Amino acid sequence: MVSSAAHLLLLAMIILLLGSPAARAFQPGQSQMGGDSEKLLDQESRAGAVPSAPVESALVSGYVRLNLSDYTWPLVLSRIRTLPAALASASPRTLTGLSLTTECSVNLEGHIDCACLSGYQWNATTCSHHRSCRAPHTHQPCSCLVFNHPEPESCQLLPPGRSELSRDPLISCLPAVPGNLSLNSPLQMPGDTLNLTLLISQEATNLSWFLRPPGSPRLVLLQPGTQVSLTSSRDQAALSITNMSHHWAGEYVSCFEAQGFKWNLYQVVRVPLKVTDVTRLPDQLSISCATSPGFQLSCCIPSTDPAYMAAWSPREDSKAFLLNTSGSQCLMLTVRRCPAADTTYTCDLQSQGLAPLRIPVSVTIIQDGDVTCPEDSLGVTWNVTKAGHVAQAPCPMNKRGVVKRPCGLDGVWGSIHSSCTDERLLALFARAKLLRAGQGRPEAEVPLILRELSGVVAGASSASDLLVAVGIMRCLAEVTTKARVQLARSAMENLLTTTDKILDMDTSSLWTPAQAKKPRVGSTLLLAVETLAHSLCPQDHPFTFSLPNVQLQTQLLGPTFPTDYKVSFSTRPPLQAQIPRHSLASLNHNGTQVSITSLVLQKLDHLLPSNYGQGLGGSLSTTPGLVLVISIMADGKTSTQGEVIMDFGHTKGTPHCVFWDHNLFQGKGGWSKEGCQAQAASTSPNTQCICQHLTAFSILMSRHAIPENPALTLLSQLGLGTSILALLMCLGVYRLVWRVVVRNKVAYFRHAALLNVVLCLLAADTCFLGAPLLPPGSRSPLCLAATFLCHFLYLATFFWMLAQALVLAHQLLFVFRQLSKHQVLPLMVLLGYLCPLGFAGVTLGLYLPRGQYLREGECWLDGKGGAVYTFVGPVLAIVGVNGLVLAMAVLKLLRPSLSEGPPTEKRQALLGVIKALLILTPIFGLTWGLGLATLLEEVSTVPHYIFTVLNTFQGVFILLFGCLMDKKVQEALRKRFCHTWPPNSIVSLATNESYILDYRKGGSETAR
């Protein structure tokens, strides 16, 4: 056993051979000499003789193990030694040289580290069977190996090269490297293409390319990717990298085996930074010296080679300091005193041999009289900013990016735009993109990134985080497909966990803003998961995994298929799929096994773009809330051919069996029914889908063909159509009798308000009736416009009803105070149109950016996010005010007649009350008060029917009770068509204002 302080020496000997067969057969043996090795060698050397005229010389390697207690080498080893006489044959042999080849020591783990000395190296076979030492970086390959126990092996002498300059035959020549590595330029500009060429003089095998990044001891394998391309022939190999950037700077290593050894050739490549690699915060600044006497600027660069020296200018009244973060260096500048005028600060970056890089930051000083946005604390603290500039704020801790908020030219703050992204997600995204480009080993890196991503994605809190997470999965899917990576069970679990968390992210705050930036993000996620899901290792089948939004089942079949493949999932309703036996048998070639992957993704269908192929209903259809992905791997290749039968449970209306085609709509993706058909199931009332190919499936159910309550929908459509016709007739009547019925101010105000009610209600009913024909979704401008118009027009209808009620209330309370037409009419217009326009505009601006404006699948206000309450609230408030006015009118009719009048007058008063109710109730929209009952979830359908009848037929009620039952309207129509004069009448029971006022006057006279 060798102690930890002992050092082992392995020696190679050079001897002279005189041609004797016995000498040529000589093989030095192994000896263990300890501390007396020097003495033994001296004795043996004196026993021999040195020949005077050697005829032939040869190199012979001998293994000698020396246990030394320290690093002091015996000086006698450098002398000329003679072989012992006992070992010499008939002809004397002389030892002319003795060289050390290997130095070994025992490491802390108890293993033996053996390092080759100069001119020697472990052969390729030994190197492949042992791991390398954890030694400092050296350019010599296989220079140090780890052995578990002492072995009779030593470093081999490298093939010598030519040395014309050396006259001493004992001086070893440099080894002859069987190759030459050249490159087009050691300095690559950003965007250039790097070309490395290896010329090989000997037969070479196991050629590999590596990159050692600056400051890193780790070698990164280079493989074909989106930027890396490799070519090789018998005597030449080439590496080409396109679109160079600082990520590709470092030392390039070409490794190959030749002549029994491993060889490494090196070239160092420098890539300077470009302006976009430098992060400025802020990149522009407007500041008020009165409120902010000082400020801070930052200039951050990634840790790269070559090294840069950074400096700020100008430096007056400021202090600069360096701040190191993970993967970057920031030079901070703290300006203590605000400059008197606008100043441009410059971050100067310089590196030896490169052109300087100058990054400007303009600082604008706010002067007296400038229009500014005030200080605000929405989200973060926003300092006073000059109009027309963009304020910037740093991201929270562990986030990278910037938060921006524009200051409008009118001094009003705009909306906040944030690009803050989790630093861990960005680091994973950078690794995934470099892996796709060609850096790293996909079989090792893909599982590592998936494992880290499953833990990081849970902290996603912005749309940028969501987009980056989906981008990481897209890169990994592309790498897995190109490199044919097979995922272990643990990696597949991490993938599905990540997918479940992404699908569970909030729709309004994360998915909707992400879709606004990249509409195809849902389609990208589907393609990535679909690609990665069928990459499970064959030995891990069968595999079952279930989460709330993700369910996976895999199975390995073959080489024979006795039955059909069947799979079911515990969704609501249960989902079943089946692949017939004959479809699987066609995939069996030479007895190969077939793996089938079935994956259900909940919620994803509602996150895909609203794109529908030819023959599909578009907005008239909806999906059941899930996507079924079925894929088959046969002989290592994905098969898209095969019949699959699916049962999505009970469907409404006419179903369409569809699949997601990623090639539709110019690569954006869309639903297609090509190759799929629907048919009734033989054993259940459900509808089955039969498709002749394999991909991501779902089913489109008709949204309106057979609605949830057909009678209620039919009644609503019939009422709206009838109201539209009635309102058109009402406009025609007013066209004929307008001059006759508006001869006094009270009648003018009442009929002017009623006419505007008719116009608004007519437009609102028409828009609402046609809205279901438009494609739904926030990305449909027509749907947005229809929703906004319906909201505005219905509110305008009610506000004009409120104006009419307020005029009536004034006449009841202030009998002897006359209203001015020029004052009242503009106020009525403002109330009737400006107020509802304000409600509708604020609702659009407040809820649309949050994704809470439109109801899912409909062109109407969303009830979950609160947008619908901006309609319900004003309507119910107006209905309440109108109800008070109606009660006031009834009291005015009842009080003088019921208390003092005879029975005949009482009956006449009751008749007047009934007529007033019939007139005012539909006109003032009191029936909308029943909408409170319909807002309750667990309520019978009776309030819904009453509400639908009374409100969809509101136009008919207005025509009958507000127009045709008016005495003045009737007289005008008789005069126009019958040419007869009606009998004189003082009281009009059909006109609310004149009836109430005149009846009140008559009652007073009777009382007297």
Side-chain angles (χ1 to χ4, degrees):
M1 184 71 182
V2 182
S3 66
S4 60
H7 300 277
L8 308 180
L9 300 182
L10 303 180
L11 292 77
M13 296 169 288
I14 300 178
I15 62 174
L16 297 178
L17 300 179
L18 298 179
S20 169
R24 291 187 177 92
F26 169 75
Q27 295 289 340
Q30 178 180 347
S31 63
Q32 186 169 345
M33 305 178 193
D36 297 331
S37 57
E38 179 180 352
K39 180 179 178 181
L40 180 59
L41 285 175
D42 284 334
Q43 294 174 352
E44 291 175 344
S45 64
R46 283 192 287 269
V50 178
S52 58
V55 178
E56 183 181 356
S57 65
L59 177 66
V60 176
S61 293
Y63 176 80
V64 180
R65 173 178 167 184
L66 305 179
N67 293 341
L68 303 176
S69 58
D70 52 31
Y71 283 102
T72 303
W73 312 121
L75 297 178
V76 71
L77 294 179
S78 62
R79 303 172 188 171
I80 298 177
R81 297 301 178 189
T82 305
L83 284 174
L87 298 176
S89 58
S91 300
R93 301 291 181 263
T94 303
L95 178 64
T96 61
L98 184 64
S99 301
L100 300 180
T101 66
T102 314
E103 176 187 357
C104 298
S105 61
V106 180
N107 58 29
L108 298 177
E109 299 175 355
H111 299 150
I112 302 173
D113 293 346
C114 291
C116 298
L117 301 181
S118 178
Y120 296 89
Q121 183 177 306
W122 293 106
N123 60 47
T125 303
T126 305
C127 188
S128 62
H129 288 84
H130 298 274
R131 59 186 176 92
S132 299
C133 306
R134 296 179 181 177
H137 168 57
T138 174
H139 278 185
Q140 186 177 356
C142 290
S143 59
C144 184
L145 299 179
V146 178
F147 294 86
N148 295 327
H149 51 80
E151 296 183 11
E153 297 185 65
S154 64
C155 299
Q156 304 296 313
L157 181 65
L158 292 171
R162 298 180 180 180
S163 180
E164 292 83 357
L165 300 178
S166 177
R167 297 181 179 180
D168 190 347
L170 296 181
I171 298 179
S172 301
C173 301
L174 293 176
V177 180
N180 178 50
L181 182 63
S182 62
L183 76 166
N184 55 346
S185 174
L187 178 62
Q188 297 287 321
M189 301 306 295
D192 288 352
T193 298
L194 171 66
N195 292 314
L196 282 164
T197 304
L198 174 65
L199 299 177
I200 307 172
S201 59
Q202 300 288 337
E203 183 179 356
T205 57
N206 298 330
L207 174 63
S208 299
W209 298 88
F210 295 91
L211 170 64
R212 180 180 284 110
S216 173
R218 187 174 63 95
L219 286 176
V220 179
L221 178 66
L222 299 179
Q223 298 194 95
T226 57
Q227 292 181 242
V228 177
S229 59
L230 303 175
T231 58
S232 62
S233 60
R234 183 175 181 181
D235 56 355
Q236 181 176 326
L239 166 69
S240 179
I241 302 177
T242 61
N243 194 22
M244 289 290 290
S245 65
H246 69 275
H247 296 291
W248 297 91
E251 184 180 57
Y252 285 82
V253 184
S254 175
C255 303
F256 60 95
E257 295 181 12
Q259 299 176 302
F261 293 95
K262 288 190 174 182
W263 303 91
N264 289 356
L265 299 180
Y266 305 85
Q267 287 286 358
V268 177
V269 175
R270 304 171 68 196
V271 184
L273 294 175
K274 53 184 179 180
V275 176
T276 55
D277 295 329
V278 183
T279 303
R280 300 167 291 173
L281 187 63
D283 55 14
Q284 65 169 1
L285 176 66
S286 68
I287 189 170
S288 173
C289 297
T291 59
S292 302
F295 54 89
Q296 190 176 75
L297 307 176
S298 66
C299 175
C300 300
I301 61 174
S303 301
T304 181
D305 183 68
Y308 280 87
M309 299 295 294
W312 280 102
S313 63
R315 291 286 302 274
E316 291 81 5
D317 298 323
S318 62
K319 179 183 178 181
F321 60 94
L322 188 64
L323 180 65
N324 290 321
T325 59
S326 59
S328 63
Q329 297 177 340
C330 295
L331 182 65
M332 315 296 294
L333 180 69
T334 301
V335 181
R336 300 188 182 95
R337 184 178 301 174
C338 184
D342 296 349
T343 305
T344 299
Y345 291 84
T346 304
C347 178
D348 296 313
L349 302 173
Q350 294 185 351
S351 182
Q352 186 176 3
L354 299 178
L357 198 61
R358 292 184 172 87
I359 311 299
V361 178
S362 60
V363 177
T364 303
I365 305 302
I366 299 175
Q367 306 294 341
D368 293 339
D370 289 343
V371 180
T372 61
C373 290
E375 186 175 352
D376 193 14
S377 58
L378 179 61
V380 297
T381 300
W382 301 100
N383 296 324
V384 178
T385 302
K386 188 174 181 179
H389 287 247
V390 178
Q392 301 180 20
C395 293
M397 186 174 295
N398 300 324
K399 295 275 189 178
R400 195 184 307 168
V402 65
V403 184
K404 295 184 178 182
R405 192 180 187 188
C407 177
L409 296 177
D410 54 353
V412 178
W413 284 111
S415 58
I416 298 176
H417 303 279
S418 173
S419 62
C420 297
T421 310
D422 194 299
E423 290 183 344
R424 298 170 297 174
L425 285 174
L426 288 176
L428 290 177
F429 197 21
R431 287 171 55 187
K433 289 191 291 186
L434 289 177
L435 186 64
R436 181 182 59 180
Q439 285 192 27
R441 302 178 184 272
E443 62 277 5
E445 285 293 321
V446 170
L448 288 177
I449 296 177
L450 284 175
R451 184 183 64 186
E452 296 181 33
L453 181 61
S454 64
V456 173
V457 75
S461 58
S462 66
S464 299
D465 291 341
L466 172 59
L467 292 174
V468 170
V470 175
I472 294 172
M473 299 183 68
R474 183 190 72 243
C475 290
L476 297 182
E478 294 176 3
V479 171
T480 301
T481 300
K482 187 168 186 178
R484 294 190 176 184
V485 177
Q486 293 182 340
L487 301 180
R489 183 184 295 261
S490 59
M492 186 62 65
E493 291 178 353
N494 291 328
L495 165 67
L496 299 177
T497 302
T498 301
T499 305
D500 178 73
K501 294 177 180 178
I502 292 178
L503 293 176
D504 206 37
M505 291 181 181
D506 185 70
T507 302
S508 58
S509 61
L510 295 180
W511 271 103
T512 300
Q515 289 171 331
K517 295 180 180 179
K518 291 188 178 180
R520 55 180 302 180
V521 58
S523 180
T524 302
L525 175 64
L526 173 60
L527 181 60
V529 177
E530 185 179 353
T531 302
L532 291 169
H534 64 244
S535 302
L536 187 67
C537 294
Q539 59 268 24
D540 288 329
H541 292 279
F543 178 62
T544 302
F545 194 78
S546 180
L547 289 172
N549 300 310
V550 178
Q551 297 184 44
L552 176 71
Q553 295 186 34
T554 70
Q555 191 171 348
L556 195 63
L557 304 177
T560 60
F561 308 99
T563 59
D564 298 345
Y565 168 78
K566 296 182 179 180
V567 63
S568 60
F569 294 93
S570 57
T571 57
R572 295 184 179 180
L575 174 63
Q576 299 177 356
Q578 174 183 350
I579 301 179
R581 172 188 175 187
H582 63 83
S583 183
L584 296 172
S586 62
L587 302 174
N588 187 11
H589 302 287
N590 300 324
T592 58
Q593 291 183 325
V594 174
S595 63
I596 304 179
T597 301
S598 302
L599 175 67
V600 171
L601 301 173
Q602 303 271 13
K603 302 180 182 179
L604 181 58
D605 54 335
H606 295 158
L607 304 175
L608 294 171
S610 300
N611 299 331
Y612 301 91
Q614 187 176 4
L616 299 178
S619 64
L620 301 178
S621 302
T622 182
T623 48
L626 56 86
V627 174
L628 171 64
V629 180
I630 298 181
S631 59
I632 295 180
M633 294 287 291
D635 197 19
K637 298 180 181 179
T638 304
S639 175
T640 59
Q641 301 299 321
E643 180 182 349
V644 57
I645 305 173
M646 297 159 287
D647 189 341
F648 287 90
H650 179 65
T651 58
K652 304 173 184 178
T654 304
H656 294 282
C657 300
V658 293
F659 71 98
W660 187 259
D661 190 345
H662 294 277
N663 299 321
L664 288 180
F665 298 95
Q666 299 177 347
K668 297 180 181 179
W671 294 110
S672 173
K673 65 176 183 178
E674 184 177 356
C676 295
Q677 62 179 359
Q679 70 176 19
S682 58
T683 59
S684 68
N686 300 340
T687 301
Q688 289 184 341
C689 288
I690 302 178
C691 295
Q692 302 302 324
H693 49 75
L694 303 174
T695 181
F697 302 99
S698 190
I699 187 169
L700 290 178
M701 299 175 294
S702 177
R703 189 190 304 276
H704 300 291
I706 302 180
E708 186 174 352
N709 195 328
L712 194 62
T713 301
L714 180 61
L715 185 61
S716 176
Q717 294 175 350
L718 180 61
L720 287 174
T722 306
S723 290
I724 291 174
L725 294 177
L727 293 171
L728 290 175
M729 293 177 60
C730 189
L731 291 177
V733 171
Y734 270 125
R735 175 69 177 82
L736 298 176
V737 302
W738 180 258
R739 293 184 179 180
V740 177
V741 298
V742 294
R743 291 182 176 180
N744 60 71
K745 293 180 180 179
V746 175
Y748 180 82
F749 292 146
R750 189 183 84 84
H751 288 288
L754 185 59
L755 178 61
N756 282 276
V757 168
V758 171
L759 290 173
C760 293
L761 186 59
L762 175 62
D765 286 347
T766 304
C767 183
F768 191 82
L769 189 61
L773 303 178
L774 301 176
S778 59
R779 290 183 294 276
S780 173
L782 293 177
C783 186
L784 284 174
T787 303
F788 177 82
L789 287 176
C790 287
H791 189 196
F792 164 67
L793 291 172
Y794 275 121
L795 282 180
T797 301
F798 285 100
F799 273 95
W800 274 107
M801 292 180 183
L802 176 63
Q804 186 179 9
L806 293 178
V807 170
L808 176 58
H810 182 275
Q811 295 301 310
L812 292 174
L813 297 175
F814 308 101
V815 179
F816 301 104
R817 184 175 299 176
Q818 299 294 324
L819 294 174
S820 173
K821 183 185 298 186
H822 298 290
Q823 294 178 354
V824 174
L825 190 59
L827 293 177
M828 294 176 66
V829 172
L830 290 177
L831 179 64
Y833 289 114
L834 190 60
C835 289
L837 183 62
F839 273 101
V842 170
T843 303
L844 180 68
L846 184 63
Y847 289 97
L848 183 61
R850 304 179 184 176
Q852 300 175 347
Y853 185 68
L854 291 178
R855 184 173 299 181
E856 185 176 352
E858 298 182 23
C859 296
W860 182 237
L861 299 175
D862 184 17
K864 298 179 180 179
V868 73
Y869 295 105
T870 62
F871 171 74
V872 175
V875 166
L876 294 182
I878 292 173
V879 168
V881 173
N882 290 355
L884 293 177
V885 174
L886 176 60
M888 187 188 307
V890 173
L891 290 177
K892 291 292 183 180
L893 289 174
L894 291 177
R895 187 170 55 189
S897 59
L898 296 181
S899 60
E900 302 173 4
T904 304
E905 294 181 356
K906 292 182 180 180
R907 287 195 298 270
Q908 189 176 5
L910 290 175
L911 182 61
V913 171
I914 295 174
K915 288 183 178 182
L917 288 173
L918 291 177
I919 295 170
L920 296 177
T921 298
I923 295 177
F924 290 169
L926 297 182
T927 53
W928 284 82
L930 292 172
L932 287 174
T934 63
L935 293 178
L936 303 176
E937 294 184 359
E938 296 181 359
V939 69
S940 65
T941 58
V942 175
H944 289 272
Y945 276 98
I946 298 175
F947 178 78
T948 300
V949 170
L950 293 179
N951 289 280
T952 57
F953 288 91
Q954 195 172 34
V956 179
F957 299 148
I958 291 177
L959 174 65
L960 294 177
F961 302 112
C963 184
L964 296 181
M965 288 186 63
D966 192 313
K967 288 288 186 179
K968 291 183 179 180
V969 174
Q970 293 177 8
E971 292 172 359
L973 291 176
R974 290 193 192 99
K975 179 181 177 181
R976 186 175 184 87
F977 294 104
C978 302
H979 303 286
T980 59
W981 291 95
N984 294 331
S985 176
I986 299 175
V987 180
S988 175
L989 296 178
T991 306
N992 53 0
E993 291 93 342
S994 60
Y995 172 77
I996 294 170
L997 296 176
D998 293 345
Y999 188 80
R1000 180 184 177 190
K1001 188 183 300 182
S1004 300
E1005 293 175 356
T1006 305
R1008 292 192 189 100

